[in-house]
Amino acid sequence: MSFAAVPEAAAKIREAVGETGLDVLCNNAGVMASKEVGTMPCSGARWERYHQTKLANLVFTLALRDRVVTAGSKVKVMVAHPGVAATELQVHSVSDGGMSGGVANLIVSQTAEDGALGILMSCCDPAVQSGGLYGPGGQGLKGMAKLLPAAPEEKLADEASRTLLWEASEEATGGKFAI
């Protein structure tokens, strides 16, 4: 997938939701330690790129939260992560040489269903906090979902970073985001 697919996906979503709009938008995606494929404007080692994409999710979420608040909207904006979950992403990363397989991975992983708990919490729990990061609260990036501490990531998501990513995202998608 490339950035060129974004406008097409947005049009399909607009068509599907019609006048009612979206109820939930959960920022979760990241590039999982895959080989360099040239569809993304970030470079570096696999895990560095992965960390960059996850940080970008948080920065964009906070930028969106700021704009929603400024607009006076009651919309809540959250970000979630699954921790280490035994999914096809793990299988692909192992087969692609991005991570080791074996027993250690099985020990630190949780099920795909448990990995979805942070996403479900951020989408369905009326008590979630706008701008919050939800994910597993246990040792080793697994366990029951909860609101996670913002630091140190939020320190990296200063206003300049939020503005820079927001503007780069609009440029990459070829449009202005209406709030």
Side-chain angles (χ1 to χ4, degrees):
M1 181 171 214
S2 70
F3 284 122
V6 173
E8 182 182 331
K12 287 180 181 178
I13 291 170
R14 270 194 300 279
E15 182 180 326
V17 299
E19 294 294 318
T20 61
L22 288 176
D23 291 320
V24 174
L25 173 62
C26 179
N27 293 321
N28 177 53
V31 176
M32 178 69 180
S34 58
K35 290 181 180 177
E36 187 82 40
V37 292
T39 59
M40 298 191 53
C42 68
S43 61
R46 292 172 185 232
W47 287 101
E48 181 181 335
R49 286 194 319 270
Y50 171 73
H51 293 135
Q52 289 171 347
T53 62
K54 294 309 257 186
L55 179 59
N57 285 331
L58 179 63
V59 172
F60 190 87
T61 298
L62 295 173
L64 180 57
R65 179 205 56 196
D66 295 348
R67 285 158 176 78
V68 164
V69 168
T70 299
S73 174
K74 295 179 183 177
V75 170
K76 292 181 182 179
V77 180
M78 287 75 62
V79 65
H81 81 89
V84 180
T87 67
E88 287 298 314
L89 264 178
Q90 299 282 3
V91 173
H92 175 73
S93 293
V94 169
S95 68
D96 194 24
M99 65 189 300
S100 63
V103 178
N105 194 33
L106 294 174
I107 293 170
V108 299
S109 294
Q110 60 186 349
T111 66
E113 293 81 6
D114 286 344
L117 292 176
I119 297 164
L120 290 170
M121 181 179 210
S122 69
C123 294
C124 301
D125 185 343
V128 295
Q129 298 175 15
S130 190
L133 169 61
Y134 292 86
Q139 296 254 340
L141 295 176
K142 62 183 184 177
M144 292 302 297
K146 68 177 190 175
L147 175 62
L148 300 171
E153 289 85 358
E154 192 161 359
K155 290 179 184 175
L156 298 171
D158 60 21
E159 184 58 38
S161 296
R162 295 175 198 184
T163 300
L164 178 68
L165 182 59
W166 187 268
E167 291 173 356
S169 298
E170 287 183 328
E171 183 180 329
T173 59
K176 294 285 185 189
F177 302 140
I179 305 293

